[in-house]
């Protein structure tokens, strides 16, 4: 899955990914099993055993993994702010021809 | 009113939210017309509880997002009529739950709110649900990949977002749903959690949830507006979403707030059809 644009905007310009709250996460790895897009990476031998590896693979506006996270350790940016940002970028693109 | 229900709490004893689920079930069962299902005893006394579940609509009370009680119902092939998740309710009502397993002030306040909510909502839903008569005649274009067949409506009134939800617009009303891509990916859909009637939804806001044994899909609304009706039939028969997610399996109807502006971020048939083809190729390798 390497969708490079979302609504005509470069994926890289859209800030949408899960943020892990390490004070809550218990490393059950349910999110890793769940998400098919290889957003997470497991690091068995490190102190921090789970990181966001491919933020741009995360489907913009999807929040599905947070639903299966028991300790509620995953959070996402504000949807409205993200939509607003996408509109702005599109406007900029239009006016730049 | 929660009456004549079979009530299945998750009864999780190592989390406050689980303990709350149990307390709510006990309270609701003070009404002798409700019957409780014990999730632990269910494992060994299947016949007893299958009988109870066969007699009544089922209310499932999950403690946390792991949704063990919902999963148990799926395992046992039970149809869920209503479902609540304690941690979500706590968030909604801005009540902080303790890590203590005893029920203190906050927990008891939440129990009362949820109990009242459960006792009142049902009536509200049936009263205010005003379904538009959408005499929609869909015309489809089909794309086949292996054993999967994907239909995409090509009517001009139908728009899509890149999150695989569609919207059919008539005037200031819209009907929304998921596309064949979602339905095929999830495979057998077991529950549908509808949005609340009257809820104001932003474009790309959550407008319900569908779940299969494989995955959960949060519906991402293509449009902004107020929910004016939901497809009550799929609450009981979520498999209709698999049968036809555009017609019998539609999700909800909204009164539109600003479709002209929403439209800028939607795509029509041509573009969505291309996107779906690419997604299917990605998934099937
Ligand atoms: S599901 Fe939640 S608790 Fe489990 S590893 Fe992922 S973030 Fe951590
Ligand atoms: S939000 Fe969706 S796409 Fe993003 S990491 Fe979670 S499950 Fe994967």
């Amino acid at each position: 899955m390497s969708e490079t644009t979302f609504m005509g905007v470069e994926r890289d310009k859209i800030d949408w990914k899960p943020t892990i709250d390490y004070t809550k996460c218990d490393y059950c790895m349910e999110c890793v099993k769940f998400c098919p897009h290889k957003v997470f990476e497991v690091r068995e031998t490190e102190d921090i055993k789970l990181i966001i590896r491919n933020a741009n693979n995360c489907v913009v506006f999807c929040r599905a993994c947070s639903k299966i996270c028991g300790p509620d350790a995953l959070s996402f940016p504000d949807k409205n702010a993200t939509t607003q940002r996408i509109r702005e970028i599109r406007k900029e693109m239009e006016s730049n021809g | 009113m929660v009456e004549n229900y079979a009530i299945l709490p998750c009864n999780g004893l190592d989390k406050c939210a689980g303990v709350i689920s149990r307390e709510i079930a006990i309270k609701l069962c003070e009404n002798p017309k409700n019957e409780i299902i014990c999730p632990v005893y269910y494992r060994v006394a299947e016949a007893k509880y299958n009988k109870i579940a066969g007699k009544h609509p089922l209310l499932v009370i999950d403690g946390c997002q792991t949704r063990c009680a919902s999963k148990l119902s799926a395992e046992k092939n039970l149809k869920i009529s209503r479902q609540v998740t304690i941690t979500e309710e706590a968030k909604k009502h801005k009540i902080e739950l303790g890590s203590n397993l005893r029920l203190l002030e906050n927990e008891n306040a939440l129990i009362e709110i949820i109990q009242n909510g459960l006792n009142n909502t049902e009536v509200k839903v049936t009263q205010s649900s005003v379904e538009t008569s959408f005499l929609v005649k869909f015309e489809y274009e089909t794309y086949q990949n292996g054993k999967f067949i994907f239909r995409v409506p090509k009517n001009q009134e139908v728009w899509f977002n890149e999150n695989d939800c569609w919207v059919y617009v008539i005037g200031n009303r819209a009907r929304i749903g998921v596309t064949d891509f979602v339905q095929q990916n999830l495979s057998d859909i077991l529950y549908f959690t509808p949005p609340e009637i009257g809820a104001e939804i932003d474009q790309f806001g959550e407008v319900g949830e569908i779940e299969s044994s494989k995955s959960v899909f949060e519906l991402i609304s293509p449009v902004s507006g107020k929910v004016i009706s939901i497809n009550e039939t799929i609450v009981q028969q979520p498999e209709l979403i698999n049968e036809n997610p555009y017609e019998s399996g539609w999700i909800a109807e909204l009164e539109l707030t600003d479709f002209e502006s929403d439209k800028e971020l939607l795509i029509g048939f041509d573009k969505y059809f291309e996107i779906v083809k690419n997604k299917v190729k990605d998934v099937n390798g």
Side-chain angles (χ1 to χ4, degrees):
Chain A
M1 281 302 284
S2 50
E3 221 67 6
T4 48
T5 61
F6 184 80
M7 293 171 172
V9 172
E10 257 175 72
R11 178 61 183 85
D12 204 30
K13 292 197 176 145
I14 307 172
D15 173 32
W16 187 268
K17 60 170 191 313
T19 299
I20 307 165
D21 180 344
Y22 292 105
T23 63
K24 291 184 180 166
C25 174
D26 60 14
Y27 296 127
C28 68
M29 305 304 177
E30 286 296 327
C31 53
V32 185
K33 267 195 274 168
F34 174 84
C35 176
H37 304 296
K38 303 201 170 54
V39 173
F40 299 96
E41 183 178 86
V42 178
R43 307 192 304 177
E44 286 297 350
T45 55
E46 311 274 326
D47 278 349
I48 292 182
K49 300 199 184 321
L50 178 71
I51 56 162
I52 305 300
R53 162 60 72 198
N54 301 305
N56 285 350
N57 282 6
C58 180
V59 177
V60 181
F61 300 130
C62 176
R63 289 192 296 211
C65 51
S66 71
K67 307 257 157 171
I68 50 120
C69 172
D72 201 10
L74 295 171
S75 61
F76 287 87
D78 180 63
K79 277 195 176 180
N80 272 335
T82 308
T83 311
Q84 241 5 75
R85 188 70 199 115
I86 292 175
R87 283 184 194 278
E88 280 165 25
I89 300 175
R90 287 168 57 104
K91 284 237 169 69
E92 281 166 29
M93 284 164 52
E94 268 169 38
S95 59
N96 292 341
Chain B
M1 183 75 185
V2 178
E3 194 164 273
N4 279 321
Y5 271 82
I7 297 168
L8 171 64
C10 78
N11 203 17
L13 289 183
D14 61 350
K15 277 189 194 145
C16 182
V19 179
I20 293 179
S21 78
R22 163 196 157 105
E23 195 59 30
I24 293 175
I26 294 174
K27 287 224 153 105
L28 292 173
C29 288
E30 279 165 5
N31 179 338
K33 291 194 174 148
N34 291 324
E35 291 195 70
I36 210 160
I37 296 180
C38 167
V40 182
Y41 195 43
Y42 201 163
R43 303 256 177 215
V44 288
E46 196 161 352
K48 168 179 169 153
Y49 290 128
N50 281 348
K51 199 164 138 212
I52 293 180
K55 256 190 348 210
H56 303 284
L58 179 67
L59 165 63
V60 171
I61 310 174
D62 287 302
C64 68
Q65 316 244 33
T66 313
R67 307 229 273 177
C68 298
S70 290
K71 284 180 186 152
L72 177 66
S73 327
E75 250 171 62
K76 304 286 184 197
N77 268 322
L78 304 183
K79 281 253 148 62
I80 301 177
S81 296
R82 305 177 69 182
Q83 188 273 347
V84 276
T85 308
I86 304 298
T87 48
E88 276 174 20
E89 293 294 313
K91 244 195 246 167
K92 197 159 93 193
H93 299 287
K94 303 199 171 48
I95 295 181
E96 186 89 31
L97 297 181
S99 46
N100 199 305
L101 297 178
R102 298 255 176 240
L103 303 174
L104 303 173
E105 204 180 319
N106 280 1
E107 290 75 26
N108 283 319
L110 182 63
I111 289 172
E112 202 174 312
I113 293 174
I114 298 178
Q115 200 187 347
N116 288 340
L118 282 169
N119 274 328
N120 296 331
T121 44
E122 204 172 31
V123 188
K124 206 174 77 201
V125 170
T126 41
Q127 279 176 354
S128 58
S129 186
V130 277
E131 193 175 313
T132 330
S133 53
F134 264 75
L135 289 170
V136 177
K137 191 134 185 49
F138 280 101
E139 283 168 50
Y140 300 107
E141 185 77 48
T142 310
Y143 170 63
Q144 183 161 10
N145 185 306
K147 64 177 172 28
F148 295 110
I149 298 173
F150 298 85
R151 282 160 309 176
V152 178
K154 50 185 182 182
N155 308 45
Q156 268 191 353
E157 303 88 340
V158 182
W159 300 79
F160 306 86
N161 61 17
E162 291 187 35
N163 304 91
D164 307 296
C165 295
W166 57 266
V167 55
Y168 191 111
V169 178
I170 299 181
N172 71 335
R173 295 272 165 107
R175 181 177 274 191
I176 60 170
V178 299
T179 69
D180 254 347
F181 180 76
V182 172
Q183 166 282 107
Q184 299 248 9
N185 253 320
L186 286 171
S187 66
D188 296 337
I189 294 166
L190 302 170
Y191 333 106
F192 163 54
T193 314
E196 256 175 62
I197 303 259
E200 299 278 355
I201 311 276
D202 293 318
Q203 189 182 26
F204 305 113
E206 177 175 347
V207 64
E209 217 174 77
I210 53 181
E211 190 168 345
S212 68
S213 58
K214 249 170 88 179
S215 195
V216 194
F217 181 83
E218 175 182 302
L219 273 118
I220 296 176
S221 181
V223 289
S224 53
K226 188 165 95 182
V227 179
I228 48 174
S229 82
I230 57 157
N231 185 349
E232 309 257 358
T233 323
I234 56 171
V235 177
Q236 298 292 338
Q237 292 170 269
E239 64 275 12
L240 289 176
I241 305 172
N242 289 113
E243 268 169 38
N244 189 334
Y246 305 108
E247 296 179 44
S248 52
W250 62 277
I251 299 288
E253 287 178 0
L254 276 75
E255 200 174 85
L256 294 165
T257 319
D258 188 359
F259 183 62
E260 280 310 306
S261 149
D262 293 345
K263 209 160 73 177
E264 287 171 25
L265 297 181
L266 297 177
I267 49 180
F269 163 80
D270 290 336
K271 207 134 178 229
Y272 185 69
F273 198 60
E274 281 312 305
I275 290 181
V276 132
K277 279 197 223 165
N278 287 331
K279 286 195 192 192
V280 173
K281 281 183 204 142
D282 263 352
V283 175
N284 283 7

